[in-house]
Amino acid sequence: MRLFLIIILTAATFLSCNKFLDVKPKGKLIPTKISEFDRLLDNTDIVEFPFLNNNRGSILGYLTDNLTLSEGIGKIAYKANNSPNIDNYYAYTFREPYRNPNSPDWLWERGTYRAMKYFNNVIDGVSGLRTESNAEEADAVLAQAYVNRAWAYFHTSMVYGPVYKPNGNNGTKTIPYLTSGDVSAPIPDLSTQEQVFANVSAELHRALPAIPAVTNYPSRPNKATALTMLAYFHLFTQRYDSVVYYANLAWTAATAQGVDKVLYNYNELSYADPDNVLISAIKSPDSRIHLPNSREILFFRSPDNTAGRINVSYPSDEFIALFDQDKDLRFKYFLLPAPGYKTTYNGTVYDDGIKLQYYRGATAVGNPKFQMTAGFTYPELLLMRAEGYARTGMLPEAMDDLNLLRRYRFVTGTPDLTMPASRDEVIRLVLEERRRELPLGHLKRYLDLKRLCTEAGKPWSKTKITHQLGTETFEANIDGPAFVLPIVNAILLLNPHWGIPPDTRPF
């Protein structure tokens, strides 16, 4: 699989030097040209670990209503066996702190701020080289770095900060919006959520005039990515007219050559080995459904491929109930019955029996069955437009978008959904389709729960999450500290000017 073509030699070395542009050591690559800075945007550090731990799973899914743990998985596989990912168990049971506050934070260090060194160095370096004669080349590279930076900081602020309140007080300080590539420069104070949102909006709008319509791989943002990110941004600000505006621009441009260029018709898929569906690859007409450059992936960031299968977690009953098991082909390919967790511990047998498990990201001949992304897909883009339409009263348009996607997902001949009696029912249908379409774990459902909890009383909104483990029940408010990851002590101790005391809670 040709995931990335560019290998940046000694990147960690030159990016850790205070004045790495002053000297060009023999045999080492130091960017001095725009094209050399451009190559930094292909580094694998940018895409491999956003909001993933060192085992490539994500704690965030375990806070949501998409995942469940059996008693055996929770108490034995995680707790009794002292799993390296015991934070998943603590998150599921809302036992704080979820992670050891004295251990490194992969989501922060490997996910956001390791990638940020590339974006900031590209922006600083290219800005310094930009002239009137190379402005077009320079601005195209800068635009991609701005969108990358905006995507990363927006999500990081939402993970390490509270629920964003449209038209409310968003003055909580969350993360440092670091924009300098100079490692000797002082670390800035934490930005408030309002400041992060303002910066993200400014960077996306700064990028729009120059960002390329086409880039060489979905790891790099193109114009449709920037427009989609603006639509996504405004789902949180609840400016739904802007959601429609940007999503429509992106979808219209993306489908200029036909919808089949950006959607797979699941009726055209098949198992490579129908006698062994658990381990079989999925065959698609273009043979790329398992790759990061599949036709449906608009912006690639590595997903959590582990959530929902044996020894880790299962899809929740509520999630499974969203699917039409006879007609929705996502159920056929994603949710497969397989032997669940089984062990004997201190004389007690834990046997989950046959369980429906989430095989969308399962490895088949070295690749996921379906390549997912923590970034954006074209189906998600279409559903953003549908949600914007529904929330602005354009109900026929919303249902058209919803039924369009369903024709690519349901058994051929399945009737379209008819117009519901109310706008709330249309919104509910769109959001349920969104939940079916997006990955089970990782960021997507976690952030949807946080943005939708502000609409208390609506059929799609929850204010708290309840988890079951054997006979025990655990609850937490979405708009509360249980849905905010704290900054770990090592980072706090290096930045006393933030005014946050170290976390002394026992782990």
Side-chain angles (χ1 to χ4, degrees):
M1 183 176 71
R2 185 181 71 87
L3 180 55
F4 299 101
L5 295 177
I6 307 299
I7 298 176
I8 305 300
L9 300 176
T10 65
T13 300
F14 76 70
L15 287 171
S16 66
C17 298
N18 287 350
K19 298 181 179 180
F20 69 88
L21 290 178
D22 291 349
V23 180
K24 190 170 185 177
K26 183 177 181 181
K28 296 186 178 181
L29 172 62
I30 305 297
T32 58
K33 302 175 182 177
I34 292 173
S35 60
E36 292 172 346
F37 279 104
D38 179 60
R39 293 172 197 161
L40 293 180
L41 297 180
D42 288 316
N43 196 283
T44 56
D45 280 349
I46 292 170
V47 301
E48 283 193 300
F49 291 106
F51 309 103
L52 295 175
N53 63 26
N54 55 330
N55 290 314
R56 299 180 185 272
S58 180
I59 185 177
L60 301 177
Y62 293 82
L63 296 167
T64 76
D65 51 4
N66 272 0
L67 295 177
T68 190
L69 302 184
S70 68
E71 191 171 22
I73 290 178
K75 294 183 176 179
I76 309 304
Y78 279 115
K79 192 173 182 182
N81 292 341
N82 195 26
S83 166
N85 300 127
I86 197 169
D87 54 332
N88 293 343
Y89 168 77
Y90 288 145
Y92 182 79
T93 57
F94 302 116
R95 180 273 200 193
E96 299 178 76
Y98 307 142
R99 305 169 301 168
N100 187 337
N102 296 308
S103 294
D105 180 357
W106 278 64
L107 279 66
W108 180 287
E109 297 169 33
R110 290 294 300 270
T112 296
Y113 287 97
R114 178 173 289 199
M116 206 55 63
K117 69 187 179 185
Y118 296 101
F119 307 149
N120 290 340
N121 274 278
V122 167
I123 291 168
D124 287 351
V126 173
S127 296
L129 295 172
R130 186 184 184 279
T131 65
E132 187 174 341
S133 62
N134 65 21
E136 183 176 356
E137 177 190 12
D139 289 348
V141 177
L142 288 169
Q144 293 173 73
Y146 287 135
V147 173
N148 274 323
R149 190 163 73 181
W151 184 93
Y153 278 148
F154 176 79
H155 287 85
T156 304
S157 179
M158 294 297 295
V159 168
Y160 289 87
V163 169
Y164 181 83
K165 307 290 176 53
N167 304 312
N169 182 359
N170 296 293
T172 301
K173 293 184 176 182
T174 58
I175 60 169
Y177 207 101
L178 183 65
T179 59
S180 173
D182 182 358
V183 297
S184 65
I187 299 297
D189 193 6
L190 299 175
S191 293
T192 66
Q193 227 171 18
E194 195 65 55
Q195 290 168 335
V196 171
F197 271 53
N199 289 338
V200 165
S201 177
E203 299 212 315
L204 292 170
H205 284 287
R206 184 185 300 140
L208 273 182
I211 194 161
V214 178
T215 53
N216 64 3
Y217 210 74
S219 58
R220 282 175 170 259
N222 58 21
K223 189 163 189 176
T225 305
L227 293 167
T228 301
M229 182 62 209
L230 278 164
Y232 187 64
F233 173 85
H234 284 300
L235 286 177
F236 288 82
T237 67
Q238 295 183 1
R239 289 184 54 187
Y240 298 116
D241 55 340
S242 293
V243 174
V244 170
Y245 177 76
Y246 291 115
N248 183 58
L249 285 175
W251 179 256
T252 302
T255 58
Q257 303 301 316
V259 174
D260 287 341
K261 298 295 183 181
V262 297
L263 295 182
Y264 287 106
N265 186 335
Y266 276 36
N267 290 280
E268 298 176 353
L269 306 181
S270 61
Y271 287 110
D273 184 359
D275 294 327
N276 296 286
V277 296
L278 294 182
I279 61 173
S280 175
I282 303 298
K283 295 168 62 178
S284 62
D286 63 357
S287 301
R288 290 207 329 245
I289 201 167
H290 60 286
L291 299 176
N293 63 341
S294 84
R295 72 174 62 162
E296 291 195 348
I297 292 181
L298 169 58
F299 185 55
F300 182 72
R301 290 293 182 264
S302 293
D304 179 356
N305 282 321
T306 65
R309 292 198 311 283
I310 185 172
N311 299 343
V312 178
S313 55
Y314 299 123
S316 68
D317 290 342
E318 179 181 311
F319 179 79
I320 293 170
L322 291 169
F323 291 84
D324 181 329
Q325 299 188 16
D326 296 322
K327 298 178 181 178
D328 192 334
L329 294 171
R330 288 168 298 195
F331 183 86
K332 170 185 175 180
Y333 287 113
F334 297 172
L335 293 160
L336 302 176
Y341 182 77
K342 182 178 182 180
T343 193
T344 301
Y345 187 81
N346 287 343
T348 300
V349 175
Y350 296 86
D351 186 355
D352 294 344
I354 300 298
K355 298 283 289 186
L356 277 178
Q357 300 178 47
Y358 194 71
Y359 272 78
R360 189 176 182 182
T363 300
V365 294
N367 295 301
K369 288 173 177 282
F370 295 81
Q371 181 62 67
M372 298 184 289
T373 179
F376 297 117
T377 63
Y378 290 103
E380 182 182 3
L381 167 61
L382 179 61
L383 290 172
M384 284 188 211
R385 189 175 73 168
E387 184 177 345
Y389 279 149
R391 289 182 179 275
T392 54
M394 301 174 69
L395 304 186
E397 290 84 352
M399 293 302 295
D400 285 346
D401 280 352
L402 181 57
N403 281 317
L404 172 61
L405 179 61
R406 288 170 62 89
R407 287 180 215 122
Y408 282 78
R409 296 300 191 249
F410 281 68
V411 172
T412 298
T414 302
D416 283 351
L417 296 174
T418 58
M419 179 65 69
S422 69
R423 181 171 69 172
D424 277 4
E425 277 301 292
V426 176
I427 296 172
R428 181 185 63 80
L429 288 173
V430 172
L431 290 173
E432 286 182 355
E433 197 68 42
R434 176 180 171 84
R435 192 172 171 191
R436 282 187 285 266
E437 186 62 34
L438 297 180
L440 182 72
H442 212 165
L443 274 169
K444 296 294 185 179
R445 181 59 181 168
Y446 168 82
L447 290 185
D448 273 355
L449 286 168
K450 292 185 79 165
R451 75 175 173 94
L452 297 173
C453 80
T454 62
E455 302 177 84
K458 295 296 185 181
W460 55 81
S461 176
K462 294 182 178 182
T463 59
K464 64 175 56 179
I465 296 297
T466 302
H467 288 157
Q468 200 76 25
L469 187 70
T471 59
E472 297 179 274
T473 299
F474 306 89
E475 284 189 344
N477 292 325
I478 297 169
D479 189 6
F483 272 69
V484 179
L485 296 191
I487 303 172
V488 298
N489 289 342
I491 297 169
L492 294 177
L493 292 170
L494 289 172
N495 297 279
H497 59 291
W498 293 348
I500 302 176
D503 189 344
T504 57
R505 292 175 296 178
F507 177 73

